[in-house]
C-alpha cells in the first residue's frame, strides 16, 4: 500500500511540474524588434543581469550583431514567479528572414505557443504571414504583440485592424509593448501563463525526445538540443537515436540557460541538451527521436519535414590542398545549420569542391562568411542556379543541378524548371514599378488584394531561377525598403532553357557557365563579357572573351595585349631593323598565346553574381 502511495505522489509531482512549463517561440518579419523584446523578457525574469546584459543577448554570432539579423534560432530557459507559483518559460528566438524559414519550422515543432510580433510603424509584412501559417498548422496558441509603441510614428489602431483581419482575434487580445522601454513586458508574461497551454504528454510513458537543433563543441563533441515529448530521461541512461539506431550513454543532460546548466533528470515538457560524446555529424539528424534502449518507444515522432534547397552553387577551396579542411568545416556547419546540403563535385577550372544547396542568396552569403570567419576557409563560389528536370528523347528523366549535366541538344527533348508562388506586400504607390519588375522576370500576376487603403498584397507565379540573382535587392530599392517578399515552391513547368558557355581564348570556363531562358541569353551573355573584360587583367597577348550557346557565339569582347615598345632603342638607321624586332615580338606573342593561361580573378566570379 505504501509503495502505491509513493508512486501516486511521484506522478502528481511530475504532472505539477508539467503544469507550470510554457514552451513558446517568437515569430516576426525581419527587423520588427523580436531580439530586443527577447532581451526585455530576460531582464524582467532576472535570467540575464550584470555583466551578461548586452543588446541582443541571444544573437551570439558576430555576423548576427554586425548585420542586425537573427540567423540561428536560440533556446533559453527563464524562471518566473506569478501569483505565488514558480513557472518555467522556455523561449526559442527565431530568425525573420525568408532564407532562414527552416530554422523557424524547427522551433515551432518544439513549442505550444508563439508570440506574433508586429512592428507598430510598419504593419504586417510577408514573412510574418508565412511564419504565422506555419505556427497555425502546428496548432500553436498565437499571442499577437504590437512592438515599438514608443516610436512617434507608431500607428496602433491601423496595425491592430490588420492583425484582427489576419488572425481573427479580439482587439483586447493584442498586447501593446516596446522592446526598447520595456512597456507591456509584464502583460506578455501574464498572457504566456494564461493563454499558452502546458505541454501535453505522458511523464510515465516510454521516452520520446524530439531533436530540434545541434551544435559542435571541439572539447565535448556534438551537443543535441531536444524537447521531451513523453517520458523522462536521467543522467547516465543508455539511449538510442531512432534514425541512425546508434546507442549512447547520456553523460550529461541539462537545461539551456545563458550557459548550459546540468540536471539529474528532465521530464515531459522540458527543453534541454544532451552530451554523449558523439564524434561525427552524420549520427545526429535534426527531427530525429531519442529514446531508451530498454523499454523505449516503438515509433519516431512524425511531422518533421526535410529541408528543400532552393539555390545550388559550387563551393571550391582557393587552394586545392585545403579540400579536406573544407570538408570538415562543411560537416561542422551542417550540424549547426541543418538547411545546408552538400555533395562532392569536381570542375576542370576549379578542381575539387562541393555542390551545395542553400535556401536563398542571403543564406549562401552567410555560409560563405561563416566558412571564412569560423573555419578560416577562403572559398570561390560558382554562379548559383536552381534544380531543373531534363527529359531525353528516349523518355529518361534527369535531375540537373549544374549546367554541365544538361544533355546535348541532339538527345534533349524538353527541360522543366521550378515555379514559385511569390507574395509581395507593399504600399499602393509602388504597385506599378513592382508589377513591371515581376513581369520582366517572367512572372504572372494571379491575385491582388488590398489589406488596407494603402497596403496591397500581390501574388505572382514566377520561375524560381528569376529571383535567384538580384530580385530581392531590386525589389527593396524600387519600394524604398517598404515591400516585403515571401515565396514557396509550387511545381515544375516546361521552359525554353539553353546552356550559356563563357569561353576564354576558345576554352570554356565551366564555373561561369549557366542555364538561362532563351529570351534572356543574349543580354546576359553580353553583360557577362563586358564585366569580365573589366575584371580580367591584361596579359602579354590578346584575350578573346566569348559567350556561346552550343557552337554559336552570341557576344564577344577582347582584352587587348600589354604592348612593350621593342623599337624604342632603334633611333635612326634602316627600317628593316625595326621590322625585324617587330617580327620577333610577333612570334613570341603567338607562342605565348598557345601556352599562356588566362587567370580568372576571384572577384570576377563574385561580380557575375551581382550583374544588374
Amino acid at each position: 500500500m505504501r509503495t502505491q502511495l509513493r508512486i501516486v505522489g511521484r506522478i502528481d509531482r511530475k504532472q505539477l511540474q508539467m503544469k507550470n512549463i510554457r514552451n513558446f517561440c517568437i515569430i516576426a518579419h525581419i527587423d520588427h524588434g523580436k531580439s530586443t523584446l527577447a532581451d526585455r523578457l530576460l531582464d524582467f525574469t532576472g535570467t540575464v543581469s550584470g555583466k551578461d546584459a548586452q543588446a541582443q543577448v541571444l544573437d551570439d554570432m558576430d555576423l548576427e550583431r554586425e548585420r542586425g539579423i537573427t540567423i540561428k534560432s536560440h533556446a533559453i530557459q527563464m524562471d518566473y514567479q506569478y501569483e505565488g507559483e514558480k513557472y518555467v518559460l522556455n523561449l526559442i528566438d527565431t530568425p525573420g528572414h525568408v532564407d532562414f524559414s527552416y530554422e523557424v519550422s524547427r522551433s515551432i515543432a518544439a513549442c505550444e505557443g508563439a508570440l506574433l510580433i508586429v512592428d507598430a510603424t510598419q504593419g504586417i509584412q510577408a514573412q510574418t504571414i508565412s511564419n504565422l501559417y506555419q505556427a497555425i498548422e502546428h496548432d500553436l496558441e498565437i499571442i499577437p504583440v504590437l512592438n515599438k509603441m514608443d516610436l512617434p510614428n507608431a500607428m496602433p489602431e491601423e496595425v491592430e485592424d490588420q492583425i484582427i483581419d489576419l488572425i481573427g482575434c479580439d482587439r483586447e487580445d493584442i498586447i501593446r509593448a516596446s522592446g526598447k522601454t520595456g512597456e507591456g513586458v509584464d502583460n506578455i508574461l501574464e498572457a504566456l501563463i494564461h493563454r499558452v497551454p502546458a505541454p501535453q504528454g505522458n511523464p510515465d510513458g516510454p521516452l520520446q525526445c524530439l531533436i530540434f537543433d545541434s551544435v559542435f563543441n571541439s572539447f565535448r563533441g556534438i551537443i543535441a538540443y531536444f524537447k521531451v515529448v513523453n517520458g523522462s530521461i536521467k543522467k547516465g541512461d543508455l539511449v538510442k537515436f531512432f534514425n541512425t539506431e546508434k546507442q549512447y550513454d547520456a553523460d550529461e543532460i541539462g537545461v539551456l540557460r545563458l550557459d548550459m546548466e546540468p540536471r539529474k533528470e528532465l521530464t515531459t515538457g522540458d527543453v534541454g541538451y544532451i552530451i554523449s560524446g558523439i564524434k561525427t555529424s552524420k549520427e545526429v539528424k535534426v527531427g530525429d527521436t531519442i529514446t531508451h534502449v530498454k523499454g523505449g518507444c516503438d515509433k519516431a515522432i512524425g511531422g518533421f519535414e526535410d529541408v528543400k534547397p532552393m539555390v545550388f552553387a559550387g563551393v571550391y577551396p582557393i587552394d586545392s590542398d585545403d579540400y579536406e579542411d573544407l570538408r570538415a568545416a562543411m560537416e561542422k556547419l551542417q550540424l549547426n545549420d541543418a538547411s545546408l546540403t552538400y555533395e562532392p563535385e569536381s570542375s576542370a577550372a576549379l578542381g575539387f569542391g562541393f555542390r551545395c544547396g542553400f535556401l536563398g542568396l542571403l543564406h549562401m552569403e552567410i555560409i560563405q562568411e561563416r566558412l571564412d570567419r569560423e573555419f578560416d576557409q577562403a572559398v570561390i563560389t560558382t554562379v548559383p542556379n536552381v534544380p531543373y528536370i531534363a527529359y531525353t528523347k528516349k523518355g529518361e528523366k534527369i535531375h540537373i543541378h549544374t549546367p554541365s549535366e544538361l544533355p546535348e541538344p541532339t538527345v534533349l527533348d524538353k527541360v522543366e524548371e521550378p515555379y514559385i508562388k511569390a507574395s509581395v506586400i507593399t504600399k499602393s504607390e509602388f504597385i506599378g514599378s513592382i508589377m513591371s519588375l515581376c513581369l520582366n522576370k517572367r512572372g504572372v500576376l494571379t491575385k491582388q488584394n488590398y489589406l488596407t487603403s494603402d497596403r496591397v498584397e500581390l501574388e505572382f507565379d514566377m520561375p524560381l531561377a528569376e529571383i535567384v540573382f538580384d530580385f530581392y535587392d531590386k525589389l527593396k530599392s524600387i519600394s524604398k525598403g517598404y515591400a516585403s517578399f515571401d515565396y514557396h515552391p509550387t511545381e515544375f513547368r516546361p521552359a525554353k532553357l539553353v546552356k550559356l558557355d563563357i569561353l576564354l581564348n576558345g576554352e570554356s570556363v565551366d564555373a561561369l557557365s549557366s542555364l538561362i531562358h532563351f529570351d534572356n541569353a543574349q543580354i546576359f551573355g553580353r553583360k557577362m563579357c563586358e564585366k569580365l573584360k573589366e575584371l580580367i587583367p591584361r596579359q602579354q597577348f590578346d584575350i578573346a572573351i566569348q559567350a556561346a550557346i552550343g557552337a554559336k557565339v552570341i557576344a564577344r569582347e577582347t582584352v587587348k595585349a600589354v604592348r612593350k615598345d621593342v623599337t624604342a632603342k632603334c633611333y635612326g638607321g634602316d627600317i628593316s631593323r625595326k621590322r625585324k624586332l617587330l617580327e620577333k615580338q610577333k612570334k613570341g606573342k603567338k607562342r605565348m598565346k598557345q601556352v599562356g593561361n588566362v587567370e580568372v580573378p576571384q572577384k570576377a566570379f563574385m561580380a557575375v553574381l551581382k550583374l544588374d
Side-chain angles (χ1 to χ4, degrees), residues 31-40 42-43 48 52-61 64-70 74 93 179-180 258:
D31 207 22
H32 277 208
K34 60 194 166 308
S35 296
T36 315
L37 201 61
D39 288 352
R40 293 296 79 75
L42 297 176
D43 290 345
V48 174
D52 294 326
Q54 53 173 339
Q56 277 94 34
V57 174
L58 296 180
D59 292 349
D60 50 12
M61 245 189 274
E64 292 181 312
R65 294 177 165 283
E66 280 169 31
R67 289 173 177 248
I69 58 175
T70 305
H74 301 271
D93 181 22
K180 192 172 276 183
L258 208 60

Side-chain angles (χ1 to χ4, degrees), residues 410-430:
T410 47
V411 294
L412 185 65
D413 181 27
K414 62 173 180 179
V415 181
E416 289 186 348
E417 65 175 342
Y419 266 69
I420 56 164
K421 185 177 275 322
S423 155
V424 179
I425 296 180
T426 183
K427 289 195 165 181
S428 46
E429 62 196 85
F430 305 119

Side-chain angles (χ1 to χ4, degrees), residues 346-365:
S346 63
S347 140
L350 300 169
F352 289 103
F354 297 95
R355 161 89 353 204
C356 298
F358 307 98
L359 294 182
L361 273 193
L362 177 70
H363 186 213
M364 176 172 132
E365 208 179 306

Side-chain angles (χ1 to χ4, degrees), residues 149-160:
M149 283 299 296
D150 57 308
L151 295 180
N153 57 339
M155 325 169 281
E157 278 76 23
E158 202 177 307
V159 180
E160 276 178 359

Side-chain angles (χ1 to χ4, degrees), residues 267-337:
T267 60
T268 305
D270 281 329
V271 173
Y273 68 91
I274 178 169
I275 299 175
S276 47
I278 305 169
K279 298 284 188 297
T280 57
S281 56
K282 289 188 176 62
E283 292 175 28
V284 178
K285 186 173 183 291
V286 168
D288 198 356
T289 303
I290 305 174
T291 187
H292 283 128
V293 173
K294 283 187 182 151
C297 61
D298 47 8
K299 69 178 202 297
I301 302 163
F304 208 86
E305 56 191 66
D306 270 346
V307 58
K308 296 183 197 75
M310 288 285 142
V311 172
F312 290 87
V315 172
Y316 294 87
I318 287 178
D319 182 353
S320 51
D321 296 346
D322 294 340
Y323 176 70
E324 284 305 322
D325 295 343
L326 182 61
R327 181 198 290 275
M330 284 287 195
E331 271 188 18
K332 287 170 190 169
L333 255 187
Q334 192 183 35
L335 257 182
N336 197 236
D337 182 351

Side-chain angles (χ1 to χ4, degrees), residues 167-180:
I167 59 175
C169 63
D170 296 330
R171 194 174 288 274
E172 50 272 18
D173 289 345
I174 303 169
I175 300 168
R176 296 186 178 189
S178 160
K180 192 172 276 183

Side-chain angles (χ1 to χ4, degrees), residues 318 350 368 379-381 512 528 531-537 599-611:
I318 287 178
L350 300 169
Q368 223 173 319
V379 292
I380 290 178
T381 315
L512 291 176
M528 288 269 271
K531 197 78 182 170
L532 286 170
K533 183 184 177 181
E534 289 170 27
L535 294 165
I536 290 176
E599 287 285 314
V600 183
Q602 158 86 8
K603 61 180 179 195
F605 290 105
M606 294 310 295
V608 168
L609 311 186
K610 295 189 166 59
L611 272 184

